[in-house]
Amino acid sequence: MSLALRPRAALLAVALSTALGTLAPTPALAAKTVTPAKVDIPFEQFTLPNGLRVIVHTDRKAPIVAVNIWYHVGSKDEPAGRTGFAHLFEHLMFQSSENHDGEYFEPFKQVGATGQNGTTNTDRTNYFENVPTTALDMALWMESDRMGHLLGAIDQAALDEQRGVVQNEKRQGENQPYGQAWEKLNRAMYPAGHPYHHSVIGSMNDLNAASLDDVKTWFRTWYGPNNAVLVLAGDIDVATAKEKVARYFGSIPAGPSMAQPKVDVAKRPADTRETMTDKVPQSRIYRAWNVPQVGTTDVDQLQLLAYVLGGAKSSRLSQRLQHQDKLVDNISAGAYASQLGSNFIVMATVKQGQDPAKVEKIIDEELDRLIKEGPTADELARAKTGSRAAFIRGIERIGGFGGKADALAECAVYTGDPGCFRTSLANIDKATAADLKRLGAQWLDVGSHTLVVEPGERVALKEDPSQAPKPFNVPAVDPKYSTLPEQVDRKAGVPQTREFPQLKFPALQRATLKNGTQVVLAERHEIPVVQFSYQFPGGFTADQGRKPGTANFTMNLMTEGAGKLGSLAFADAADALGASLDAGAGLDSVTVDLSALKENLVPSLALYRDLLREPRFEQAEIDRVKATWIAGIQQEKVNPNAVAMRVLPPLLYGKGHPYAIPFTGSGDEAAISSLTREDLVDFHRDWLRPQDGTLIVVGDTTLAEIVPLLDKQLGDWKATGDAPQVKAATDVALPKGPRVFLIDQPGAVQANLFAGQVVPPSSDASSTRFDIANGVIGGDFTSRLNMNLREDKHWSYGARSSAPNSVGQRPWAASAPVQIDKTGPALAEMQKEIVEFSTGSKPATAAEVNRIRNIQTLSLPGAYETASAVAATISSIVQFKRPDDYVLRRKAEIEAMTPAQVQQAAAEIKPQALTWVVVGDLKQTEPAVRALNLGEVTVLDAEGKPVKK
């Protein structure tokens, strides 16, 4: 379950904020392109007599259906003194209903549902899941049972439990660097009494004051079918939808017809500003304006203006502040659309030692110039291309966050037209430079609020003064609604799913390029996009004998110019083609990626060729990125999770081991400072060797088409010299006893708890069994750790464990952010759960194993909905030298697995060899931890070095 701490961006805003750029191709890359494919989300709709609106989109590419239901209620609808109710109630909807006793997730785990969650923002609350087609009846029964039959199952215990979880979610957000900024902005941007003045998560006081009667009234008020939109997308048709939705939802009576608040953009009459301090290494500037609401031409086109200003690598602000004046480490701009009014936000992280006032002045200058002159034709054209490319990629998924179901529901709830995305696309397509000048002058003249967060002491944000709760005003039900006869025997329980779709992993086709590279192709023709991932050995482990961070830094620098094009020109060329190019490093490999629109495949491959073969590694770009990179390391050291990922691996593997490095891959400040251009050139030459690489291709192409195109660009690429060798990741012995390490985070309101050790590598015959064992202890929402610390004790927003794939011994770690006054008890509970599971005193049950088995296997037919998911699995097949049918073999192994085998794998976890790391305010954590006598206690700094007392 999650929430938006600021208004949620509409679909096109997301597209524009994640698209590829704003500027046009250079003449050298201009090429004849094919006709762009038409992009749309066809749908049909109907409404039940009780007012439930249903939208259906058919997409047969996978045997799954996305179920996405939006209730038109969010934090904007909370009366004074009752803030946080919308989000709190979202959590309560995942508890028991009157006809299903137990966690809401449980039946979905048994059928392999994917992407299941719920979210709340200012304007709506939604719930979604992707289920196998054969499990649709179960999903609709469950959604309808909590819509029509929830009140009898909500009791004080459930309320207290989820109240505690939500309050820890609030603490977790506030405990992050800059974590209080968005709530501060909400209060400044909207006056008291405006529906957007308070945060979605609400105040601690109001959450504490929430009564059982209050939440039940909230349900009766807002959760009627006539206040909901249900989208079914995927392997379904409208006739089937009509029959099933009527059966499960038709008998639910309508609720009152609740009026929506009037649109109130709240355009501000003057500029304002404020400053706050936080435990952060750099100043950050937030500048925001209130602009028109979702569904207007203005907000659609303001997204283009934001994109040209600061939404792309070569945007105006990026060119000036990052590349020219080098005053910021990052800069962004976006227009985020919401129902009553939207926000236009510029955000800049200022380089250490630079004056935020100087950055603000340049933001003013560039914005004023853009409003006065308007964007160039090239800038506007590239922004439009980037928008279309991002939209195409976004609608590859039918459900989950974003996806087609979300797009249809969002449009229906906010505008009444499920196809409003078509209007938004048209608004963007028809926008002119004059339109953007006019909109900038109209909305971004005065009325901004600037918040500057400066390094200093973290000062807890004071809550707004408590207000006397206003009574809920619940109108009578509109007589125009009626119900259908009940068609479901609710007392018979949840419909059982007896049959499941078969897993169909794409056939892998293979070829060899003239340069020796192995090509692996999986055809996917659903959207006009082709993805490429060139995978080479190396990764963070290739830093051995080099400066720490070399691999990751080199790969990231590759996109800062290639061939004849410098950094910004290269970004411009990619933007114009709607192409996404990237390079990066992982623990054991490096990759260079391309996502190309089919219509621009040939010129996109020409760019890819330059990126792979001729990265420029210009000294000016190296120097610029170095400074930002070092700032990023300093940011890691104030982030509780990141600092643990820097410190824990060296503790687990020991000095000299290839994995005894920060798993962020960022290295350390001294090493990055000393990197030379020669270091980067040497790494590229040594490790990007085509004869040692595998090129994974997934998408809208064929082997006959793509191999000649690749050979043309890459066939004559030859590596010289001998291939380097990575030092073998030899096994390390476990510690002789448990160890505890404390890292101080003064002022923290949470403690972040970690327990880790090494386990056999991914290639080990026991690795799949260990994956299932990990699922039981911490690898799923319903695992023991999460059920204990979140659902039972409600001390944490979530506890989990994982063991990422690796060539050498895998790092296994359990983690939990907990309220800081529960540090000791939470550590004790973690230890208890790990001991009971690993020693067999509380062994894995058949029910637990069956649940994790179903999660791992029954979800597979829907797990490969996207090209990126297919590519990731092919990547692991290549890296670990697995057979092409590995997915099917692994499925068969899991299906045959017994609880005894899982318990045997659980014994790999050795409680007496665990390494514990606790990040939090030392004054509060140290006494509690020492009292537990878990093991020898050492206080470390953020570098992982012992602190002398």
Side-chain angles (χ1 to χ4, degrees), residues 244-259:
K244 291 185 182 294
V245 174
R247 184 195 318 167
Y248 292 109
F249 290 86
S251 65
I252 300 173
S257 296
M258 297 299 294

Side-chain angles (χ1 to χ4, degrees), residues 2-4 6-9 70 73-76 86 90 119-125 200 338 414:
S2 62
L3 74 162
R6 58 179 177 176
R8 179 182 182 273
W70 282 42
V73 57
S75 61
K76 72 181 189 322
E90 177 220 311
T119 71
T120 307
N121 72 9
T122 52
D123 304 316
R124 60 93 186 105
T125 309
V200 175
S338 296
Y414 292 158

Side-chain angles (χ1 to χ4, degrees), residues 734-758:
L734 296 176
K736 295 180 180 179
R739 304 172 297 169
V740 185
F741 298 91
L742 306 180
I743 299 174
D744 193 12
Q745 188 185 31
V749 295
Q750 282 194 318
N752 286 63
L753 316 179
F754 300 85
Q757 72 160 77
V758 297

Side-chain angles (χ1 to χ4, degrees), residues 629-836:
W629 195 278
I630 291 168
I633 293 173
Q634 293 165 348
Q635 291 282 359
E636 289 174 3
K637 292 177 180 178
V638 297
N639 182 294
N641 286 315
V643 73
M645 288 304 97
R646 293 186 62 84
V647 171
L648 183 57
L651 296 174
L652 296 181
Y653 290 98
K655 187 176 181 180
H657 192 279
Y659 293 172
I661 54 176
F663 274 9
T664 58
S666 53
D668 60 63
E669 292 101 316
I672 298 300
S673 295
S674 67
L675 279 175
T676 66
R677 183 179 188 277
E678 185 179 3
D679 292 329
L680 277 57
V681 171
D682 287 349
F683 184 92
H684 175 268
R685 180 198 61 235
D686 289 348
W687 289 105
L688 272 71
R689 302 169 56 86
Q691 60 266 46
D692 299 328
T694 301
L695 182 51
I696 299 164
V697 185
V698 182
D700 189 14
T701 189
T702 64
L703 211 57
E705 175 190 39
I706 202 62
V707 169
L709 294 177
L710 291 170
D711 267 334
K712 181 178 180 181
Q713 299 294 342
L714 303 170
D716 62 346
W717 181 24
K718 301 293 182 183
T720 59
D722 296 330
Q725 297 296 315
V726 170
K727 178 183 175 183
T730 55
D731 287 356
V732 297
L734 296 176
K736 295 180 180 179
R739 304 172 297 169
V740 185
F741 298 91
L742 306 180
I743 299 174
D744 193 12
Q745 188 185 31
V749 295
Q750 282 194 318
N752 286 63
L753 316 179
F754 300 85
Q757 72 160 77
V758 297
V759 297
S762 299
S763 57
D764 191 86
S766 68
S767 65
T768 300
R769 294 192 295 275
F770 187 83
D771 288 341
I772 304 303
N774 178 67
V776 172
I777 185 64
D780 181 67
F781 183 90
T782 56
S783 67
R784 292 185 182 184
L785 286 171
N786 197 58
M787 288 297 100
N788 184 332
L789 293 178
R790 172 181 163 130
E791 297 299 287
D792 182 24
K793 307 294 192 308
H794 44 82
W795 295 340
S796 173
Y797 180 54
R800 57 191 55 85
S801 65
S802 64
N805 284 325
S806 60
V807 172
Q809 287 170 302
R810 290 200 283 175
W812 176 82
S815 64
V818 300
Q819 59 194 73
I820 202 157
D821 62 327
K822 300 298 182 184
T823 300
L827 271 175
E829 289 298 319
M830 286 181 71
Q831 184 195 40
K832 175 179 73 71
E833 293 289 358
I834 293 170
V835 168
E836 289 178 346

Side-chain angles (χ1 to χ4, degrees), residues 37 171 196 207 383 393 632 685 695 722 732 873 886 915 930:
R171 293 185 187 100
Y196 289 167
L207 290 169
R393 294 184 176 96
R685 180 198 61 235
L695 182 51
D722 296 330
V732 297
T873 295
Y886 172 75
T915 297
R930 289 189 182 277

